[in-house]
Amino acid sequence: MKRTLLALAILLLAATAPAQTPPLISPEVHSDHRVTFRFRGPNVKEVLVSLDGTAKPLPMQKDDQGVWSATTDPLAPDYYNYSFSVDGVTSIDPSNFATVPNFLYRESSVHVPGPPTLSWETTDVPRGEVHHHFYKSGVVGDDRGFFVYTPPGYDPAASGRIRCSICCTASAMTRMPGRRWARQRDPGQSDRPGQAKPMLVVMPLGYGAPEVLLPNSGVFHDRALTERNFDQFRKALLKEVIPRVEGAYLVTKDRNARGIAGLSMGGSESLLTGLTR
């Protein structure tokens, strides 16, 4: 009798348990390169999706299940950053694991695939490696790191070693030009034979003054803070990062074998460092 009652209780609990909500597919890339974004918010009043390359956010429509969705026009093959605005609050896509690394704000990422001739698509080519280094900065006073990419065939322990030039990308861990290459896909996919000379790519932390990351820091409005950020980045790069790279890797020290590039704030850092050295 007790077993019967227990089985009945279990059956009743199972019958009254709420049904699990199926996971959303977002983003969904269609065969014609349109992309559908989805967000579950039955009590939300408005959801917009902001996407790279669009003039204004796309409004999303809610169905009777409380799921909001929007579908783009066909997109050119590329990686796209996007975010949701949920009743005015910016949010990443909770159904998408792919995010863009950025210390100031987060965005989600979607890949619209293209032909294998595109440099970021996965192909059967020789691949390099990305190495992560850590150190205590005497210039800035914090613990920080930098990434070093080595090309295919680089082996400092072998004979006939490749002597590499150095290209430093400023603001690499925030909004670096190569973020797709080093974060969002398999490193070295762009190592297509004959397209570039073998080189190291050094990607340091792009902030010389970490306080610029604090809410309402006033960076670019506070001239003293902005200049301190640029100055300490330059000192950390020249006095700490590059000497460590030169000590650990076989590199060419000729100025003609050096380059620096950056995006956004990293562009300013590149100009202020490259044109004064």
Side-chain angles (χ1 to χ4, degrees), residues 150-162:
T150 55
Y154 177 85
D155 183 0
S159 60
R161 294 176 290 181
I162 297 176

Side-chain angles (χ1 to χ4, degrees), residues 110-180:
V110 57
H111 173 216
V112 178
T117 53
L118 295 174
S119 62
W120 58 83
E121 296 296 336
T122 301
T123 54
D124 185 17
V125 295
R127 301 181 184 181
E129 296 182 359
V130 175
H131 314 262
H132 198 179
H133 297 260
F134 299 91
Y135 75 100
K136 175 73 174 183
S137 173
V139 172
V140 183
D142 62 0
D143 294 295
R144 54 182 46 214
F146 59 92
F147 294 90
V148 178
Y149 160 79
T150 55
Y154 177 85
D155 183 0
S159 60
R161 294 176 290 181
I162 297 176
R163 182 172 294 276
C164 293
S165 56
I166 292 182
C167 174
C168 290
T169 62
S171 204
M173 293 169 64
T174 54
R175 288 186 61 83
M176 65 180 182
R179 66 181 184 272
R180 297 170 182 166

